[in-house]
Amino acid sequence: MPYLKEEQIAKLGLKSYGKNLLISDKVTFYRPNRISLGNNIKIDDFVVLGNHITIGDYVHISLGCSLLASDDGEIIMEDFSGFAPRVHAFSGSDDYSGEFMTGACIPKEYRGTYSKPLYIGQNSIVGSMSCIMPGAHIREGVAVGSSSLVMRPTRPFGIYFGNPAKRIAERNKNLLKLKNEFLSKFKNNNGTFS
């Protein structure tokens, strides 16, 4: 896939951005002045990023994902986290109870909406076609299985699966040792790999 050149990234109007970014030329940014990108990030084709979003270092957002933050509910992806293809994460939603009308074409006084920040913790991964709802924090080291619906906060280093997602197993913490080895090797090579 073709990636944006550094000068093209500079023209996006991002709030801030780091180095070593691989951003597909097919990524869509809404309100880029509210989006911050760290270092060593890969964002694949057809990803949509909208509003208050902060992405840490060593993050991969795969094909067709969407991160849609509300005006008062930021989405934060911490270091070494990632989304498999077609994951959708939201920090705001309409009220679907029937007490209010729904939809962007309806005036505010008739709609019931809510927002909650959304955190995707370090060393976490969300499987393809999963949906993460407002306030359903993905804690450090969590793995979410494909096609899961996460509606509530998770607990660290668990494997979650289902609709709604439930903790089904513990996740091995060996990845922390590997991360430290990786960072040590990276630092010792002056920030380059051979």
Side-chain angles (χ1 to χ4, degrees):
M1 73 184 71
Y3 296 108
L4 296 175
K5 294 178 173 55
E6 194 171 332
E7 53 272 9
Q8 292 172 301
I9 294 171
K11 291 179 182 176
L12 291 173
L14 297 167
K15 181 176 180 181
S16 64
Y17 62 93
K19 297 178 181 178
N20 194 25
L21 303 178
L22 294 175
I23 300 173
S24 164
D25 66 354
K26 294 173 185 65
V27 172
T28 301
F29 292 91
Y30 293 104
R31 294 186 168 172
N33 60 315
R34 297 178 177 194
I35 298 173
S36 297
L37 304 178
N39 301 298
N40 304 299
I41 294 173
K42 185 174 188 270
I43 305 175
D44 293 343
D45 288 346
F46 312 116
V47 168
V48 177
L49 300 173
N51 219 348
H52 293 289
I53 298 172
T54 300
I55 299 174
D57 297 341
Y58 299 100
V59 171
H60 178 217
I61 302 173
S62 193
L63 184 74
C65 292
S66 55
L67 285 77
L68 302 174
S70 63
D71 283 340
D72 50 356
E74 184 176 17
I75 296 176
I76 297 173
M77 287 188 76
E78 295 185 343
D79 299 349
F80 295 96
S81 61
F83 284 173
R86 296 179 59 201
V87 170
H88 304 291
F90 307 97
S91 69
S93 180
D94 279 320
D95 180 328
Y96 284 68
S97 69
E99 188 172 335
F100 303 96
M101 294 180 73
T102 60
C105 299
I106 305 299
K108 261 188 166 175
E109 63 264 26
Y110 297 101
R111 293 175 65 197
T113 60
Y114 65 96
S115 297
K116 293 182 181 177
L118 182 58
Y119 300 96
I120 311 300
Q122 286 192 33
N123 312 303
S124 62
I125 183 71
V126 179
S128 63
M129 296 184 290
S130 292
C131 184
I132 315 298
M133 296 304 290
H137 306 314
I138 306 299
R139 302 291 186 207
E140 179 182 6
V142 164
V144 176
S146 294
S147 299
S148 293
L149 174 63
V150 186
M151 298 175 65
R152 291 182 170 70
T154 62
R155 293 187 330 268
F157 286 94
I159 299 172
Y160 286 78
F161 180 73
N163 183 358
K166 292 183 170 63
R167 190 180 184 105
I168 60 169
E170 300 303 308
R171 190 163 182 223
N172 192 318
K173 293 183 181 178
N174 188 59
L175 64 93
L176 297 175
K177 177 183 166 195
L178 294 172
K179 179 175 87 172
N180 289 335
E181 182 182 307
F182 166 79
L183 289 172
S184 175
K185 185 176 181 182
F186 186 73
K187 184 178 178 182
N188 291 337
N189 288 328
N190 296 318
T192 62
F193 286 103
S194 48

